[in-house]
């Protein structure tokens, strides 16, 4: 079974530039998560999708961050414009969702390390 | 919102010895999942062990076991016969079974294994 795919693995940009990250979850996983992980900290949830609908985006800085999952499969996360404090690893994860409402563990991608100069 | 606390930023253990990582959480829910994830220096997060709150029996996966104390809201991870490959960041995570099935992560414990 293929894992969660993310690209690019590394990205370096100047502040005020734009950047986009891509994630392809494990086939059949309805729930997709984007996390921001600043060095030395635990992952912070940015946005959670159930199929192509947003479940939780309460911690997404909506003035500069956006995310979409148009067909309920892969997803993109965009930052426009980037700030120095956006330097972090952006993790994508996916999990199954069953009719009982109980889901299993999350499976994580390798992450995208963003450096904003 | 639920909170997950890992009070040990760093821990070290001698190879072949046993180490216990602590985790506490705050919730008003009665049913939920708890997880320990491992994040090696390569940064891909992988699942170590999971525990369903409705199960009284502590989960075990080979050298990894948990001590789940529901009333105390404590969920510690014990690593037996520590190996060099166990060196990593370990994150405790809580999964709500209410709306959204959201995950909440602790701040992590960095484990060093001394040869």
């Amino acid at each position: 079974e293929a894992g969660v795919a993310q690209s690019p693995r590394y990205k370096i940009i100047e502040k005020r530039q734009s950047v986009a990250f891509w994630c392809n979850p494990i086939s059949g996983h309805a729930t997709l998560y984007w996390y921001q992980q600043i060095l030395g900290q635990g992952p912070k949830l940015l946005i959670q999708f159930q199929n192509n609908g947003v479940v939780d985006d309460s911690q997404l800085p909506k003035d500069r961050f956006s995310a979409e999952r148009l067909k309920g499969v892969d997803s993109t996360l965009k930052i426009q414009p980037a700030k120095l404090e956006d330097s972090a690893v952006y993790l994508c994860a996916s999990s199954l969702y069953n009719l009982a409402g109980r889901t299993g563990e999350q499976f994580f991608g390798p992450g995208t390390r963003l450096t904003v100069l | 919102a639920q909170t997950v606390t890992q009070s040990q930023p760093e821990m070290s253990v001698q190879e072949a010895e046993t180490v216990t990582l602590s985790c506490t959480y705050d919730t008003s829910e009665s049913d939920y999942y708890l997880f320990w994830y491992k994040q090696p220096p390569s940064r891909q997060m992988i699942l170590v062990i999971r525990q369903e709150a409705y199960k009284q029996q502590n989960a075990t996966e080979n050298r990894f076991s948990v001590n789940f104390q529901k009333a105390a809201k404590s969920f510690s991870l014990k690593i037996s016969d520590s190996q060099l490959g166990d060196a990593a960041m370990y994150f405790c995570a809580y999964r709500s079974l209410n709306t959204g099935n959201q995950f909440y992560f602790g701040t992590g414990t960095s484990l060093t294994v001394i040869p």
Side-chain angles (χ1 to χ4, degrees):
Chain A
E1 179 181 79
V4 177
Q6 288 188 250
S7 67
R9 292 295 309 277
Y10 303 92
K11 190 74 177 178
I12 301 174
I13 61 172
E14 302 275 336
K15 61 182 179 183
R16 290 189 290 275
Q17 284 187 324
S18 301
V19 64
F21 312 129
W22 175 82
C23 172
N24 191 285
I26 293 173
S27 178
H29 281 196
T31 311
L32 185 147
Y33 311 79
W34 282 104
Y35 290 91
Q36 180 191 60
Q37 187 178 22
I38 293 172
L39 186 65
Q41 299 182 16
K44 183 183 85 171
L45 180 69
L46 292 175
I47 188 166
Q48 177 181 340
F49 291 96
Q50 185 67 30
N51 296 308
N52 61 351
V54 175
V55 174
D56 183 2
D57 63 358
S58 57
Q59 298 194 87
L60 186 74
K62 298 181 186 61
D63 57 334
R64 299 184 300 106
F65 286 64
S66 64
E68 60 183 15
R69 193 185 184 199
L70 292 176
K71 296 183 179 179
V73 181
D74 57 349
S75 175
T76 56
L77 176 70
K78 297 178 181 177
I79 308 175
Q80 180 180 8
K83 293 184 175 181
L84 296 177
E85 59 261 37
D86 298 332
S87 293
V89 174
Y90 291 84
L91 297 169
C92 179
S94 70
S95 66
L96 283 169
Y97 178 83
N98 62 38
L99 294 178
R102 289 178 174 268
T103 63
E105 66 268 21
Q106 294 179 99
F107 294 85
F108 285 83
T112 297
R113 183 185 296 274
L114 173 67
T115 301
V116 182
L117 302 176
Chain B
Q2 283 73 13
T3 57
V4 178
T5 302
Q6 292 179 251
S7 59
Q8 306 155 315
E10 297 178 345
M11 291 283 284
S12 61
V13 62
Q14 289 286 142
E15 195 174 3
E17 296 295 309
T18 296
V19 65
T20 299
L21 308 183
S22 301
C23 173
T24 59
Y25 57 94
D26 183 30
T27 185
S28 58
E29 299 173 340
S30 60
D31 199 10
Y32 45 87
Y33 284 133
L34 294 165
F35 304 88
W36 279 98
Y37 280 89
K38 171 185 177 182
Q39 190 175 41
S42 65
R43 300 199 75 89
Q44 184 131 16
M45 195 96 72
I46 55 175
L47 179 69
V48 174
I49 199 166
R50 61 184 259 173
Q51 175 81 41
E52 290 95 333
Y54 66 88
K55 290 186 178 179
Q56 292 186 336
Q57 186 173 7
N58 289 326
T60 299
E61 288 286 342
N62 301 312
R63 298 183 295 106
F64 298 87
S65 61
V66 299
N67 183 5
F68 173 48
Q69 301 288 329
K70 191 173 183 180
K73 297 179 183 175
S74 171
F75 182 62
S76 60
L77 174 69
K78 185 172 81 171
I79 306 174
S80 304
D81 186 26
S82 297
Q83 300 176 358
L84 295 178
D86 296 333
M89 282 290 287
Y90 286 81
F91 292 97
C92 178
Y94 171 103
R95 174 159 216 166
S96 171
L97 291 177
N98 291 335
T99 304
N101 292 286
Q102 289 140 337
F103 273 76
Y104 301 89
F105 284 84
T107 51
T109 296
S110 177
L111 179 66
T112 300
V113 181
I114 303 167

